[in-house]
């Protein structure tokens, strides 16, 4: 067991039996101290849908979930497709100060897939955007996708394309398979995702650019990414906690909380996704935290918008589903939720290691604590969690951002050293 001394926002020392010397002592006996988590895929809804989430409420949820950095997706109103909007998101995030908010810029104007957005201006802005996505919509035009990759290559930025072939996915609300056939709900086949990933991998190889594949959901997609990595294609990938833990059988309840894009797949897909995360084919876990106002989400299944909450449950879901059964070690968990996403996005000051000289941006969690998810107790303004009522193992105790507690003893705080 080691002691960690934090001074002036930095980790000053890490060794056994450090003298107190008047310092404030926080007893973390039996707890895991790790670099704070980093989420590459968060929907904060501000500007435009502050009834569903704000940057402040999303930051609170992130801090409670152990996060030190959130990458805010561009599908806001207005869309984050200009320097003005990404700077607005960046500035509000800094003013809130609970997590570092890094805006994601749109690939195309208004997410319409017709004309490239102001990628260069967003990169040159105060927000220094280097990650671009139309998430929620797929760039269908192959020529436009090629130009986006080529343009982003000029400053080594990353293009993250929502992989969904429009023609194959049209009208689908869940995974296409045995369950959709029984329920009579139109489905989205695996191939809707895999065709776009295959195309984007080919274009990435052609251009020598960087591609990030968000929310991988099928076994076939994992194999495509594995083959491309072996061939030297500059691709990284993420998987969500819900695609690692929930199957399409849950849709039999017709509860829209289980509607997500891409849809929940099968147990066989979960097995391959978990193995891909363990062996590094899939680089990291991202939440795809997608809050929706109650009046929007509580519609008939086919009419409800896709999306689930994720920030406050992600760590516990991964501990429960992967660490406890022995499919992922704690070190691998920390890598996939902190070190790897920080490395992909190039976020200095995030992702560890916990060593002298590193920023004091840390999470402290209890591997053994068990708790029941109660939507009313979550910090998000929305309550569309698929884990409501479920007992999970693993709980965040403290979160620190540059040496200041943002969460202490499970409660959000501001500015405490």
């Amino acid at each position: 067991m080691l002691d960690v001394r934090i001074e002036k926002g930095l980790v000053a020392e890490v060794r056994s039996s450090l003298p107190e010397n008047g310092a404030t002592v926080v007893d973390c006996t039996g707890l895991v101290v790790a670099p704070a988590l980093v989420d590459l895929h968060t929907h904060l809804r501000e500007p435009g849908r502050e009834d569903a989430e704000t940057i402040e409420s999303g930051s609170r949820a992130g801090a409670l979930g152990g996060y030190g950095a959130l990458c805010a997706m561009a599908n806001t109103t207005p869309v984050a497709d200009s320097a003005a909007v990404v700077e607005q998101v960046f500035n509000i995030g800094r003013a809130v100060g609970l997590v570092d908010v890094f805006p994601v810029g749109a690939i195309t104007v208004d997410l319409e897939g017709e004309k490239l957005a102001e990628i260069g201006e967003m990169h040159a802005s105060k927000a220094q955007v280097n990650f671009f996505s139309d998430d929620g919509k797929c760039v269908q035009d192959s020529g436009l996708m090629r130009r986006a990759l080529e343009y982003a290559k000029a400053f080594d930025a990353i293009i993250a394309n929502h992989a969904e072939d429009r023609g194959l996915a049209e009208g689908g609300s869940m995974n296409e398979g045995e369950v959709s056939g029984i329920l009579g709900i139109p489905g989205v086949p695996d191939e809707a995702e895999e065709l776009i990933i295959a195309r984007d991998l080919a274009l990435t190889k052609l251009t020598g650019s960087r591609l990030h594949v968000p929310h991988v959901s099928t076994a076939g997609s994992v194999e495509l990414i594995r083959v491309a990595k072996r061939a030297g294609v500059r691709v990284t990938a993420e998987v969500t906690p819900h695609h690692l833990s929930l199957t399409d059988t849950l849709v039999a309840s017709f509860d829209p909380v289980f509607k997500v894009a891409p849809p929940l797949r099968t147990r066989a897909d979960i097995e391959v996704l978990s193995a891909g995360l363990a062996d590094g084919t899939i680089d990291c876990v991202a939440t795809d935290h997608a809050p929706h106002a109650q009046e929007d989400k509580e519609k008939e299944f086919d009419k409800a918008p896709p999306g689930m909450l994720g920030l406050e449950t992600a760590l516990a879901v991964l501990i429960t589903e992967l660490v406890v059964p022995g499919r992922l070690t704690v070190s691998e968990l920390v890598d996939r939720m902190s070190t790897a996403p920080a490395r992909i996005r190039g976020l200095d000051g995030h992702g560890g290691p916990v060593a002298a000289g590193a920023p004091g941006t840390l999470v402290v969690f209890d591997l053994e604590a068990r708790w029941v998810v109660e939507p009313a107790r979550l910090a998000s303004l929305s309550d569309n969690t698929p884990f409501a009522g479920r007992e999970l193992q693993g709980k965040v105790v403290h979160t620190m951002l540059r040496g200041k507690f943002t969460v202490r003893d499970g409660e959000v705080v501001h500015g405490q050293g």
Side-chain angles (χ1 to χ4, degrees), residues 109-126:
V109 174
D110 212 22
L111 310 180
E112 290 299 326
E114 296 179 352
K115 179 182 177 183
L116 287 184
E118 298 172 359
I119 290 175
E121 291 185 18
M122 288 188 276
H123 179 69
S125 73
K126 181 180 179 182

Side-chain angles (χ1 to χ4, degrees), residues 45-279:
R45 305 303 190 204
E46 184 179 3
R49 286 306 306 264
E50 289 84 353
D51 56 329
E53 196 78 288
T54 65
I55 293 171
E56 194 276 341
S57 66
S59 295
R60 290 170 66 86
L64 287 165
Y67 287 89
L70 305 178
C71 298
M73 282 292 163
N75 58 342
T76 50
T77 307
V79 169
D81 58 5
S82 67
V85 179
V86 296
E87 286 190 347
Q88 178 186 1
V89 173
F90 179 82
N91 288 334
I92 296 173
R94 282 289 184 273
V96 173
L98 288 169
V99 298
D100 285 339
V101 176
F102 297 100
V104 176
I107 300 172
T108 67
V109 174
D110 212 22
L111 310 180
E112 290 299 326
E114 296 179 352
K115 179 182 177 183
L116 287 184
E118 298 172 359
I119 290 175
E121 291 185 18
M122 288 188 276
H123 179 69
S125 73
K126 181 180 179 182
Q128 297 182 312
V129 178
N130 70 344
F131 199 85
F132 298 90
S133 178
D134 280 1
D135 187 62
K137 293 185 177 180
C138 172
V139 178
Q140 302 285 332
D141 185 313
S142 299
L144 189 64
M145 182 65 182
R146 175 181 179 173
R147 289 198 295 278
L149 286 163
E150 289 173 334
Y151 197 80
K153 184 182 178 183
F155 35 90
D156 204 31
I158 303 167
I159 298 294
N161 191 22
H162 182 114
E164 185 178 79
D165 182 89
R166 182 187 300 154
L168 286 176
E170 188 171 7
S173 298
M174 65 172 294
N175 179 52
E176 181 177 295
E178 182 179 354
V179 179
S180 67
I182 293 171
L183 298 176
I185 296 176
V188 178
D190 294 359
E191 287 77 7
E193 175 175 308
E194 294 162 7
L195 280 172
I196 294 297
I197 291 177
R199 181 204 70 176
D200 289 350
L201 289 169
L203 292 173
T204 304
K205 181 180 180 181
L206 173 68
T207 58
S209 305
R210 297 179 65 190
L211 175 73
H212 180 75
V213 184
H215 42 48
V216 176
S217 73
T218 78
S221 297
V222 176
E223 185 58 23
L224 285 167
I225 293 164
R226 179 177 287 118
V227 171
K229 283 191 168 186
R230 286 174 179 165
V233 176
R234 301 178 73 199
V235 58
T236 54
E238 69 185 39
V239 62
T240 71
H242 49 268
H243 285 112
L244 289 167
S245 59
L246 306 176
T247 71
D248 58 354
T249 59
L250 293 164
V251 179
S253 66
F254 292 98
D255 187 339
V257 78
F258 297 113
K259 184 176 179 180
V260 66
L264 300 177
R265 303 290 185 178
T266 67
R267 176 56 58 184
D269 289 303
I270 287 179
E271 293 300 315
V272 176
L273 290 166
S274 300
L277 182 67
D279 70 22

